[in-house]
Amino acid sequence: MKLFSCLMALLLFLLQAVPGLGLPKDTLRCVGYHGFCFHSKSCPEPFAAFGTCSRRQKTCCIDTTSNFHTCQDEGGHCVPPQIKCVQEQVGLCPNRGWKCCTEV
């Protein structure tokens, strides 16, 4: 029984120590954009909603006072990678790999 307890403690330690191990994909994406997962559907100020967390059970919120602004906040729109932008804009897009453009 003592060996089992030690193995469980080691497993829990590894799950906490290895980034991303065991986390849902939407949570990993949120954390990758320096976001936070909130239980409520709306984000408190100065955060803005940026997708979901925990398999769509929570809201991913990003800090609007940081350098991580959404594409729409910066006056652009998100397009898939195969579309060529005339002018790219700095900003985050909710879909991985998409880019922020001011003109297409």
Side-chain angles (χ1 to χ4, degrees):
M1 188 67 168
K2 191 171 188 172
L3 177 64
F4 179 74
S5 297
C6 290
L7 287 175
M8 288 305 292
L10 180 64
L11 178 64
L12 288 173
F13 172 75
L14 288 175
L15 285 174
Q16 293 174 351
V18 178
L21 189 61
L23 293 176
K25 286 183 180 180
D26 59 349
T27 303
L28 289 174
R29 185 179 62 83
C30 181
V31 171
Y33 283 123
H34 302 277
F36 300 94
C37 297
F38 287 93
H39 286 284
S40 63
K41 294 292 180 188
S42 61
C43 299
E45 290 290 332
F47 295 93
F50 192 71
T52 61
C53 292
S54 301
R55 296 181 181 94
R56 298 184 180 191
Q57 294 178 358
K58 297 179 183 177
T59 304
C60 175
C61 300
I62 60 169
D63 187 355
T64 58
T65 61
S66 71
N67 292 332
F68 301 101
H69 296 286
T70 62
C71 183
Q72 290 81 7
D73 290 343
E74 299 296 325
H77 52 277
C78 295
V79 296
Q82 59 268 25
I83 294 178
K84 185 177 180 181
C85 293
V86 174
Q87 184 176 359
E88 285 196 39
Q89 176 73 25
V90 176
L92 298 176
C93 291
N95 297 333
R96 183 178 293 269
W98 285 35
K99 52 192 170 184
C100 183
C101 296
T102 52
E103 296 180 34
V104 179

